[in-house]
């Protein structure tokens, strides 16, 4: 599960900036765009409609240039047939939208400590750790927010072990997450005392303290790839926020089915506020708690 | 107690004792395993096996656990070949509403595979099947949808089938549907619902 990046990330703060493409003169035709879009969708579940044409073309041109492929055709062959998949990873890193920040949609963390964990603990019959999967993690703000929340607002943390595993498809963003360096913008919704307690001031921002850095495990996972998700099992809670909006119906359905097998019976899944489970929500129970609505894999074993 | 980090996946991987090697024959055997988790994973992994649709379709008809059925349907949707679609068509004739709806939902995702057979479904002797076919068109991304709907309102003798088609024409119809909608109103002059729905649709036609 350890990712393969050669050099340390060069842009460690918050949202990354894609350099403007040099004037390459490389053109991507409509047919190229369609071909690429289908291929990328199959690989990642991410759907680009025609309104994203500019965004996609710009990044394709950049990689065609960087790899010296000369044309879309040559580059597409490289993407498809390169054995180690390195170029597909590099391109994926450019195509993802990594926007995130600390305490985003905080009401769900409130729900976690007020409602979900008490219920999980009440029916637990072993002493094994409670497992939380943050998928996708982006640069780490969400899993670290959860860690802070547990330490600050859940008394049960003194009686139970909790494991937080955080995954993303983007290896560059995962490197940032492990490093834990954040901009002012990224921490703006954190209460000041938390910022003081869990962060170190750095020249350009804030770095999350070593204890927290060591308490979250970051792994590279493509949610749309069976081989990647197969071993992710026995989770009590999954956070999947602001990813399914980029998926179409079929990938969203596949994802909800994947989560079903990643959860323990009775486990919960929290989605972003504008997201839904598609029809597969019939597999889940909708639970309305005071601070949030979440989905639950039914307890009774079928 | 507190936040801990264990090697997350190693344990679960070694815990997983596989009864069958991950070959296609083994996966097929797992498709009838008593444990639904094993069945779901088999249905997922069978996507990589050649000529697997017939076996999946057969299993789909027998499978009682909805969570396993959902995965089988997703795999069939991914395959999207003629056998898969024929299997889904059979589900349309099921007595069980859940199975019918699952099939409709899956077929909506398969415009290219459904297009060659949709006229057959729209001409099925069973009016319920014809209504389900119209339901499939509701979110089928295919340029011919409007034309198929126009054919339905021009020819179908059943008021409920035409009713479903008219409702949908109100959403997707263009000026091309105008004449047929007027004829439909005349043909069902004694059916207030059709008159009402046709007027509504006429008012909503794109480029009308
Ligand atoms: C907008 S961020 C959401 C981050 C965080 N969950 C939040 O809500 O703030 C979306 C993330 O999804 C990741 N992603 C996109 N496709 C993915 C896939 N197929 N598998 C795993 N992660 C993916 C991107 O790399 C990006 O970091």
């Amino acid at each position: 599960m350890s990712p393969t990046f050669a050099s340390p990330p060069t842009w460690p703060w918050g949202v990354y900036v894609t350099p403007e493409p040099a004037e390459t003169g490389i053109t991507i035709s409509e047919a190229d765009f369609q071909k690429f879009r289908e291929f990328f969708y199959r690989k990642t579940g991410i759907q680009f409609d025609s309104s994203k044409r500019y965004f996609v073309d710009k990044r394709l041109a950049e990689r065609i240039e960087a790899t010296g492929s000369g044309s879309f055709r040559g580059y597409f062959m490289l993407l498809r047939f390169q054995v180690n998949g390195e170029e597909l990873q590099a391109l994926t890193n450019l195509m993802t939208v990594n926007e995130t920040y600390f305490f985003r949609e905080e009401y769900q963390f409130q729900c976690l400590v007020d409602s979900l964990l008490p219920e999980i603990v009440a029916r637990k019959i072993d002493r094994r750790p409670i497992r939380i999967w943050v998928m996708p993690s982006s640069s780490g703000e969400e899993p670290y927010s959860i860690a802070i929340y547990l330490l600050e607002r859940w008394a049960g943390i003194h009686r139970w072990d909790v494991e937080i595993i955080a995954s993303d498809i983007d290896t560059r963003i995962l490197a940032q997450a492990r490093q834990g360096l954040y901009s002012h913008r990224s921490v703006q919704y954190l209460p000041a005392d938390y910022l003081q307690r869990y962060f170190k001031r750095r020249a350009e921002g804030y770095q999350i303290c070593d204890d927290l850095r060591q308490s979250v495990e970051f792994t590279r996972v493509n949610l749309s790839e069976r081989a990647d998700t197969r071993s992710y099992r026995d989770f009590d809670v999954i956070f999947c926020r602001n990813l399914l909006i980029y998926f179409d119906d079929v990938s969203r359905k596949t994802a909800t089915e994947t989560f079903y097998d990643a959860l323990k019976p009775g486990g919960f899944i929290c989605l972003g506020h504008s997201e839904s489970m598609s029809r597969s929500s019939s597999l889940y129970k909708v639970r309305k708690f005071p601070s949030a609505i979440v989905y639950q894999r039914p307890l009774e074993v079928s | 107690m507190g936040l801990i980090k264990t090697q997350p996946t190693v344990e679960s991987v070694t815990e997983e004792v596989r009864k069958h090697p991950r070959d296609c024959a083994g996966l097929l055997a797992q498709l009838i395993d008593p444990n639904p988790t094993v069945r779901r994973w088999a249905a997922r992994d069978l996507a990589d096996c050649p000529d697997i649709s017939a076996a999946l379709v057969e299993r789909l008809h027998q499978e009682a656990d909805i969570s396993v059925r959902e995965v089988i349907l997703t795999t069939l949707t991914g395959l999207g070949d003629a056998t898969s679609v024929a299997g889904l068509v059979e589900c349309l004739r099921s007595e069980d509403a859940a199975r019918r709806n699952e099939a409709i939902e899956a077929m909506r995702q398969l415009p290219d595979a459904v297009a060659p057979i949709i006229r057959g479904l729209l001409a099925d002797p069973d009016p319920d099947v014809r209504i389900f076919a119209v339901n499939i068109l509701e979110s089928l991304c295919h340029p011919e949808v409007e034309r198929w709907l126009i054919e339905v309102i021009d020819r179908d003798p059943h008021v409920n089938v035409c009713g479903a088609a008219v409702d949908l024409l109100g959403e997707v119809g263009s000026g091309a549907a105008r004449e047929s909608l007027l004829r439909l109103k005349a043909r069902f002059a004694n059916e207030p619902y059709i008159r009402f729905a046709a007027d509504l649709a006429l008012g909503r036609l794109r480029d009308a």
Side-chain angles (χ1 to χ4, degrees):
Chain A
M1 279 292 151
S2 72
T4 49
F5 33 80
S7 52
T10 48
W11 194 270
W13 291 286
V15 183
Y16 68 75
V17 175
T18 308
E20 289 297 312
E23 270 313 318
T24 55
I26 291 162
T27 51
I28 315 284
S29 72
E30 175 66 23
D32 294 342
F33 175 73
Q34 294 301 340
K35 218 155 106 180
F36 168 74
R37 162 177 125 134
E38 232 180 273
F39 168 77
F40 195 71
Y41 164 71
R42 246 188 303 116
K43 289 291 179 187
T44 64
I46 302 175
Q47 182 97 313
F48 292 117
D49 59 28
S50 306
S51 69
K52 295 279 158 48
R53 179 77 196 266
Y54 176 73
F55 173 93
V56 171
D57 283 10
K58 202 167 125 173
R59 282 159 181 76
L60 278 174
E62 188 182 317
R63 292 310 302 168
I64 291 170
E65 174 88 351
T67 53
S69 306
S71 67
F72 174 81
R73 213 186 123 79
Y75 181 70
F76 196 58
M77 298 301 262
L78 174 70
L79 265 190
R80 294 190 64 131
F81 299 114
Q82 190 182 43
V83 179
N84 63 14
E86 212 175 288
E87 184 50 33
L88 180 60
Q89 183 68 58
L91 183 69
T92 304
N93 292 356
L94 283 184
M95 293 289 185
T96 51
V97 176
N98 305 114
E99 164 70 14
T100 184
Y101 48 86
F102 279 92
F103 279 36
R104 182 181 198 175
E105 294 170 49
E106 184 189 346
Y107 61 91
Q108 291 194 334
F109 307 143
Q110 193 72 49
C111 181
L112 174 72
V113 297
D114 288 350
S115 310
L116 307 187
L117 287 171
E119 194 173 312
I120 288 163
V121 165
R123 66 162 183 263
K124 215 166 153 50
I125 45 168
D126 56 35
R127 295 294 310 166
R128 300 175 67 177
I130 293 163
R131 282 161 57 83
I132 299 177
W133 190 19
V134 181
M135 156 51 92
S137 66
S138 189
S139 34
E141 285 89 330
E142 182 172 329
Y144 290 134
S145 295
I146 292 169
I148 293 174
Y149 234 84
L150 292 179
L151 294 173
E152 291 288 335
R153 313 224 184 144
W154 187 53
I157 197 70
H158 304 296
R159 277 169 279 126
W160 295 93
D161 280 334
V162 180
E163 265 179 87
I164 303 176
I165 294 152
S167 310
D168 202 282
I169 195 176
D170 181 339
T171 51
R172 183 170 56 161
I173 211 74
L174 284 168
Q176 284 182 214
R178 291 194 188 91
Q179 206 174 34
L181 275 166
Y182 298 102
S183 64
H184 292 278
R185 189 168 156 276
S186 173
V187 300
Q188 63 182 323
Y189 298 109
L190 271 177
D193 53 328
Y194 293 0
L195 192 59
Q196 218 174 34
R197 214 165 307 156
Y198 297 104
F199 291 78
K200 282 179 290 200
R201 201 59 229 258
R202 292 280 184 246
E204 308 263 348
Y206 301 87
Q207 184 169 33
I208 195 115
C209 66
D210 289 347
D211 275 357
L212 281 191
R213 265 205 303 154
Q214 256 125 50
S215 66
V216 178
E217 170 87 18
F218 288 97
T219 62
R220 191 225 165 248
V221 173
N222 177 354
L223 182 57
S224 301
E225 175 62 56
R226 270 174 283 137
D228 286 3
T229 56
R230 191 186 300 284
S231 59
Y232 287 73
R233 303 209 179 159
D234 295 329
F235 287 97
D236 296 282
V237 185
I238 295 175
F239 285 86
C240 180
R241 309 193 310 167
N242 303 300
L243 170 58
L244 298 184
I245 37 170
Y246 302 103
F247 282 13
D248 77 330
D249 290 348
V250 176
S251 336
R252 201 174 302 144
K253 180 167 190 277
T254 311
T256 46
E257 289 165 7
T258 300
F259 288 140
Y260 192 86
D261 276 314
L263 283 171
K264 289 180 187 155
F268 298 100
I269 171 157
C270 303
L271 302 180
H273 72 280
S274 58
E275 295 169 312
S276 72
M277 288 280 221
S278 81
R279 246 190 72 342
S280 294
S281 54
S282 61
L283 295 181
Y284 293 85
K285 248 166 80 177
V286 178
R287 295 285 308 272
K288 297 192 169 80
F289 293 107
S291 38
I293 295 173
V294 306
Y295 295 91
Q296 181 178 33
R297 175 174 165 173
L299 253 180
E300 52 286 348
V301 192
S302 36
Chain B
M1 301 299 101
L3 298 171
I4 60 155
K5 187 151 133 185
T6 53
Q7 281 304 309
T9 51
V10 179
E11 186 191 17
S12 6
V13 172
T14 45
E15 249 177 22
E16 182 186 11
V17 189
R18 287 193 178 137
K19 287 191 223 140
H20 299 274
R22 287 246 159 233
D23 61 299
C24 296
L27 288 171
L28 269 177
Q30 291 185 353
L31 211 47
I32 48 171
D33 194 281
N35 179 347
T37 307
V38 174
R39 298 207 296 283
R40 280 193 299 273
W41 270 105
R44 236 168 242 145
D45 287 335
L46 278 165
D48 299 329
C49 292
D51 304 322
I52 205 63
S53 340
L56 282 169
V57 163
E58 193 192 327
R59 189 61 216 161
L60 178 67
H61 296 318
Q62 289 153 14
E63 180 60 61
D65 186 320
I66 177 184
S67 73
V68 182
R69 272 202 328 262
E70 287 288 355
V71 178
I72 296 177
L73 284 160
T74 303
T75 302
L76 288 174
T77 311
L79 295 169
D81 57 350
T83 312
S84 304
V85 174
L88 295 172
V89 168
E90 278 175 66
C91 296
L92 293 182
R93 302 183 195 283
S94 162
E95 292 297 309
D96 177 352
R99 284 175 187 267
R100 291 197 306 263
N101 290 333
E102 289 160 12
I104 290 171
E105 196 66 42
M107 288 169 85
R108 285 172 170 171
Q109 307 295 343
L110 293 168
D112 295 336
V114 166
I117 60 155
I118 196 78
R119 280 207 170 92
L121 288 177
L122 290 169
D124 196 276
D126 179 350
D128 283 337
V129 170
R130 302 204 297 278
I131 290 176
F132 301 144
V134 172
N135 293 156
I136 293 169
L137 296 182
E138 186 182 311
S139 43
L140 191 77
C141 285
H142 197 280
E144 299 286 293
V145 166
E146 181 183 7
R147 170 157 9 159
W148 292 324
L149 290 171
I150 290 175
E151 288 174 12
V152 170
I153 62 166
D154 273 338
R155 290 186 207 146
D156 203 292
H158 201 289
V159 59
N160 292 345
V161 181
C162 288
V166 174
D167 286 343
L168 192 47
L169 270 174
E171 284 170 37
V172 305
S174 70
R178 172 177 309 282
E179 293 304 314
S180 298
L181 281 167
L182 293 170
R183 276 198 299 274
L184 180 76
K185 257 175 73 175
R187 188 155 68 92
F188 287 105
N190 296 326
E191 294 286 353
Y193 177 73
I194 293 282
R195 288 203 325 265
F196 166 79
D199 282 336
L200 199 66
L202 281 163
R204 287 185 181 162
L205 292 181
R206 283 176 293 122
D207 55 77

